[in-house]
Amino acid sequence: MAMKVSDGVQLSTERLLELYHQMWLVRYFDEKVDEFFAKGLIHGTTHLCVGQEATAVGACAVLEERDKITSTHRGHGHCIAKGAQADRMMAELFGRETGYCKGKGGSMHIADVEKGNLGANGIVGGGIPIAAGAALTSKMKNLGYVVLCFFGDGASNEGSFHEAINLAAIWKLPVIFFCENNQYGMSGPVKEMVAIENIADRSKAYGIPGVVVDGNDIFEVMKVTEEAVRRARQGEGPTLIEAKTYRWKGHSKSDAKKYRTREEEQQWREEKDPIEKMAARLIGDQIASREQLEALRIKAYEEIEAAVQFAEASPMPNPDTITEDVFA
Ligand SMILES: Cc1ncc(C[n+]2csc(CCOP(=O)(O)OP(=O)(O)O)c2C)c(N)n1
Ligand SMILES: [Mg+2]
């Protein structure tokens, strides 16, 4: 069986189930990170994307392996969705030698260039010009890949956003600007930080298409992203996508969330859970049974448990290597 998501996207049952499993991998990865932070076993800081699984998984689902992404400070989901190994990611967060940066970088420095992930970024809006630059390389060298740039609602107020989007527009670069509007930038509600209803409308100022999508509906995310990827690949230039979603957890490790209500959180969790939304569609369209989906959830849970075990069993970096891989 297969499901037609749009004119451009037709997915086999196998692929749909793979994506469902990936959504749970993203959720359990960040739930585990939350747990270990609370126990003091992970140091530094981290930003969790629980509740935002459909943007990461849906957007990356319509990319090819050769395509690239740039990520953010809230990037674990992007990483997993672009093919990173959960065990090496977890090891990085635990500061172990087997991690993506040999344990020296942590959450906001994970990159996986082999899979086309140009990296997380601790600088809000920092990935946007990098994405435009990588897209310029693709165009000038005729390499055929497109670049999908993840960034937040807060980042869309940075100068880097406006400068990069303008260059990408005039040069018709193969880039997709994918804004994950999770309603807040730290404690700032987007409604108080942006004077227009939709961030996607900023596209008009640059002469490119802008589209608003339900970021908690993976099928809608795939549909609009596929169209943006098609345009980019055919030399028609960038698209600005704004996916409306919600982060279930606080901004970072210590956040009393005084800037929003528990009722609002409950509403997003109970009525708009992206994983449950996908499950309902798969069951409704008779692609899968509830039991099949449960088995995939459990499989993902076990894989994340194994990732934790791998991280815990891995050695700490040798202190003699402290100056290696460091740029001065
Ligand atoms: C240039 C810069 N300014 C400020 C910060 C501090 N900071 C870290 S995350 C964040 C909020 C970003 O909000 P948004 O882009 O909406 O992403 P979200 O955290 O909601 O995923 C801020 C202000 C930073 N890291 N870099
Ligand atoms: Mg935000």
Side-chain angles (χ1 to χ4, degrees), residues 15-317:
R15 179 77 177 128
L16 287 162
L17 296 183
E18 199 178 289
L19 295 176
Y20 181 78
H21 167 251
Q22 214 173 62
M23 299 262 273
W24 275 114
L25 277 182
V26 173
R27 172 143 323 162
Y28 281 135
F29 186 91
D30 269 3
E31 291 283 10
K32 270 289 159 200
V33 172
D34 204 20
E35 183 186 324
F36 284 103
F37 243 97
K39 288 182 183 163
L41 294 169
I42 294 179
H43 304 283
T45 192
T46 193
H47 308 81
L48 309 175
C49 69
V50 179
Q52 302 182 199
E53 295 84 1
T55 50
V57 177
C60 291
V62 296
L63 296 179
E64 295 175 11
E65 186 154 311
R66 64 179 168 155
D67 294 332
K68 304 194 188 303
I69 63 164
T70 59
S71 175
T72 66
H73 55 286
R74 201 176 298 289
H76 304 156
H78 309 149
C79 229
I80 291 173
K82 197 66 176 73
Q85 287 171 238
D87 52 1
R88 290 188 61 203
M89 288 172 62
M90 197 61 87
E92 185 56 36
L93 291 168
F94 273 74
R96 306 303 163 113
E97 206 177 77
T98 51
Y100 271 100
C101 312
K102 301 180 192 166
K104 296 177 192 172
S107 171
M108 285 185 282
H109 296 275
I110 299 177
D112 185 11
V113 179
E114 272 172 37
K115 297 277 182 190
N117 180 355
L118 301 181
N121 206 312
I123 301 168
V124 170
I128 310 175
I130 295 174
L136 180 61
T137 303
S138 178
K139 183 167 179 160
M140 290 182 75
K141 295 190 171 173
N142 215 1
L143 298 176
Y145 67 76
V146 305
V147 188
L148 188 135
C149 169
F150 288 107
F151 59 96
D153 45 284
S156 78
N157 295 329
E158 292 285 348
S160 61
F161 166 81
H162 298 277
E163 294 173 38
I165 203 168
N166 186 58
L167 281 179
I170 58 171
W171 291 337
K172 287 201 185 311
L173 300 183
V175 56
I176 299 97
F177 296 105
F178 193 103
C179 179
E180 292 177 299
N181 178 355
N182 60 7
Q183 315 301 324
Y184 297 91
M186 295 184 94
S187 55
V190 66
K191 282 189 167 55
E192 291 174 26
M193 300 296 154
V194 178
I196 50 173
E197 175 72 18
N198 296 314
I199 290 168
D201 287 344
R202 291 183 162 171
S203 64
K204 292 194 184 91
Y206 301 100
I208 64 168
V211 39
V212 177
V213 67
D214 175 356
N216 284 16
D217 183 333
I218 189 171
F219 300 103
E220 291 300 309
V221 171
M222 288 193 284
K223 192 165 127 186
V224 301
T225 312
E226 187 274 334
E227 168 62 12
V229 168
R230 187 200 59 71
R231 289 190 73 247
R233 212 168 321 264
Q234 290 181 357
E236 293 170 32
T239 304
L240 173 60
I241 296 171
E242 177 189 5
K244 310 254 192 201
T245 181
Y246 198 78
R247 70 164 148 75
W248 287 13
K249 308 264 181 186
H251 166 70
S252 185
K253 61 179 175 176
S254 53
D255 179 352
K257 297 185 288 177
K258 287 185 180 158
Y259 49 84
R260 67 187 197 192
T261 64
R262 301 298 82 84
E263 291 71 40
E264 178 187 285
E265 291 175 354
Q266 198 182 353
Q267 202 186 6
W268 278 89
R269 278 173 188 259
E270 287 175 9
E271 295 167 23
K272 301 176 194 170
D273 176 351
I275 301 188
E276 187 42 44
K277 229 176 176 158
M278 183 179 192
R281 174 85 184 268
L282 292 177
I283 294 167
D285 284 14
Q286 298 184 332
I287 301 277
S289 65
R290 183 60 77 178
E291 294 70 36
Q292 264 177 304
L293 298 183
E294 262 306 278
L296 289 170
R297 180 185 68 76
I298 292 163
K299 181 168 172 268
Y301 185 81
E302 288 168 354
E303 281 169 36
I304 297 302
E305 285 282 311
V308 170
Q309 279 167 20
F310 171 82
E312 284 183 317
S314 294
M316 289 286 184

